[in-house]
């Protein structure tokens, strides 16, 4: 792929900065659109028309350090727009987002059978859901740390219990109009991936 010409870079930079109007507002509001704009400017080399280096461009024109800019771009690449939708409402570190990501689909977070759209109008419910999900995960991780490693029989008993819990959730989701089962698909896919990882080790 050929490098963009100076003229193309200038056009790209002008287009993206013009679209954002005040580009350095990214320092105060890191929406997915603004981070996508930043990524476009970096990847096309458009910043070179106004700064010698990417290191210079970030603080001078984006209002943030190069390290921060690259971190935001990595988060956009890994998580997509939903991460920025959520963190615009409630602060969530990347590590914590990875944990609760299975509960987030189609611009909503599932909690106790309810699909909560990730919007500022639902800020209170979203904060409560995120905090509750993180606490559930912390308790589960604590249980794992304290649990004595089991033999094959004990592992099978625990696996059967896990299977039965999911089966009951599927049945409840199918019979209760208020209960949503949309979060079960990602959980089952996650479980299958983990089992496949173990299978490859044999």
């Amino acid at each position: 792929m050929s490098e963009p010409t100076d003229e193309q870079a200038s056009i790209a930079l002008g287009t993206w900065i013009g679209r954002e109007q005040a580009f350095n507002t990214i320092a105060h509001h890191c929406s997915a659109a603004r981070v996508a704009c930043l990524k476009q400017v970096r990847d096309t080399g458009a910043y070179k028309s106004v700064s010698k280096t990417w290191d210079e461009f970030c603080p001078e024109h984006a209002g943030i350090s190069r390290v921060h800019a690259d971190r935001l771009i990595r988060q956009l690449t890994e998580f997509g727009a939903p991460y920025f939708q959520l963190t615009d409402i409630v602060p969530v570190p990347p590590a914590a987002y990875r944990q609760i990501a299975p509960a987030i689909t189609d611009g909503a977070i599932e909690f106790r059978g309810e699909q909560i759209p990730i919007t500022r109008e639902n800020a209170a419910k979203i904060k409560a859901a995120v905090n509750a999900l993180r606490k559930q995960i912390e308790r589960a991780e604590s249980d794992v740390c304290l649990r004595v490693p089991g033999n094959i029989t004990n592992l099978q008993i625990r696996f059967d219990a896990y299977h039965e819990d999911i089966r009951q959730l599927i049945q409840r989701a199918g019979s209760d109009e208020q209960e949503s089962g949309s979060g079960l698909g990602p959980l089952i896919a996650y479980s299958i991936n983990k089992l496949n990882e173990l299978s490859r080790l044999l």
Side-chain angles (χ1 to χ4, degrees), residues 97-111:
Y97 184 84
R98 290 187 189 96
Q99 294 175 322
I100 66 173
I104 299 173
T105 54
D106 299 327
I109 182 168
E110 181 177 11
F111 183 60

Side-chain angles (χ1 to χ4, degrees), residues 85-156:
Q85 287 179 286
L86 184 64
T87 55
D88 190 41
I89 298 171
V90 54
V92 180
Y97 184 84
R98 290 187 189 96
Q99 294 175 322
I100 66 173
I104 299 173
T105 54
D106 299 327
I109 182 168
E110 181 177 11
F111 183 60
R112 293 176 180 171
E114 179 184 2
Q115 289 285 343
I116 307 170
I118 302 177
T119 61
R120 288 197 169 276
E121 290 75 14
N122 294 323
K125 296 175 72 174
I126 290 170
K127 289 177 181 178
V130 168
N131 289 335
L133 288 169
R134 292 185 66 181
K135 287 180 180 178
Q136 288 176 12
I137 292 169
E138 288 173 1
R139 284 197 297 269
E141 290 178 343
S142 177
D143 289 344
V144 169
C145 292
L146 295 174
R147 190 174 61 231
V148 177
N151 55 34
I152 291 178
T153 300
N154 289 336
L155 289 173
Q156 183 171 349

Side-chain angles (χ1 to χ4, degrees), residues 57-70:
F57 174 85
C58 291
E60 291 176 0
H61 297 277
I64 57 178
S65 69
R66 189 269 304 168
V67 172
H68 189 189
D70 288 342

